[in-house]
Amino acid sequence: MTTTAPAPLATRPLTLPERLGTAGLLTLAFCELLAHLVLGGQPNPGMAALAVLPLTAAILVWRRVRWAPIASLLAVVAVIATRLVGLSFDLTRPGDVLYFAAALLELAAAGAVTGPIAATLLKRHTPAVTGGLALTAALALSAGVVLSSPQSDDTGSLTAEQIATLPTVDMVNYRFEPSILRATPGQPVAFTFTNDTDDAHAFAVEKLGIDIEVPSGRTRTVVVQAPPGRYAMHCSVGSHQADGMKGQLVITGQDTMTAPSPADTDAAASFDTHDHHG
């Protein structure tokens, strides 16, 4: 009696969790390319290269490699971890429709990867269970991103008209423009930071406990609650401070002279002589 040999594992039809997981990984790779090549201030090919991780995991799932689920989870963790602040920033600003939709798509893709893995572990491959676990995972990831790295703006009692007239500070590689920020009597101690570079930057004032990140391609309003004085500021991202991204925040009182002090002059001079690139 002639028997038919079973088909090679790699040629068997993918199960529902495998198909959903592969689609999620491919979408996750697309979102990485979108985030770092299109939606940022400038294209960042180095960060966009992270798309290789979910792409590789998708191939492993398609080939039915035994440790493909582990590779898939590692790809999700790596992608979400590097985009944590950016995802939270965009999720808390639904008015920026394109960025908000891209963040939702990326987290939905991450859920489409992790949910089916849970379905496989539970040995429940029905569409209802697999889809429900994928949705639950996406919602849990979204909540985790926002709660672990809250990025909403506290603009206090400022009106929309006041926010529109705030002084603008450009964050470039690697300096603040201007490098000396001033707030005078009668003005709110608040600024609008813009980041049109290919990297995230931050406005940090250690003495005031301020450390606020502005993702690539985004704009953020920062209100400072502090008494009159002079405060050192810097960018807390990576080695940006060592690269020269620092300056001063000067809050003047009613009786404080607004003319530059020697410290201000020295700080400004140091920025003029530093070798920067934009």
Side-chain angles (χ1 to χ4, degrees), residues 152-205:
S152 58
D153 288 335
D154 181 8
T155 56
S157 59
L158 294 182
T159 64
E161 291 74 17
Q162 286 177 308
I163 293 174
T165 60
L166 290 177
T168 299
V169 182
D170 294 326
M171 303 170 120
V172 299
N173 298 339
Y174 293 98
R175 64 188 182 273
F176 295 97
E177 294 182 349
S179 61
I180 300 176
L181 311 186
R182 296 183 177 279
T184 58
Q187 294 180 335
V189 186
F191 305 89
T192 296
F193 289 87
T194 62
N195 179 7
D196 292 327
T197 72
D198 62 354
D199 198 359
H201 290 301
F203 168 65
V205 183

Side-chain angles (χ1 to χ4, degrees), residues 210-235:
I210 296 173
D211 191 351
I212 298 174
E213 187 168 320
V214 183
S216 171
R218 311 299 194 270
T219 297
R220 187 165 194 174
T221 300
V222 177
V223 177
V224 179
Q225 302 293 339
R230 300 177 185 274
Y231 304 91
M233 68 180 191
H234 67 278
C235 177

Side-chain angles (χ1 to χ4, degrees), residues 23-39:
L25 288 165
L26 294 176
T27 303
L28 203 60
F30 167 77
C31 288
E32 275 295 283
L33 296 175
L34 180 68
H36 297 298
L37 297 181
V38 178
L39 298 182

Side-chain angles (χ1 to χ4, degrees), residues 61-74:
V61 172
W62 176 66
R63 296 290 300 173
R64 293 177 176 270
V65 175
R66 181 172 298 178
W67 44 274
I70 297 176
S72 299
L73 288 176
L74 290 176

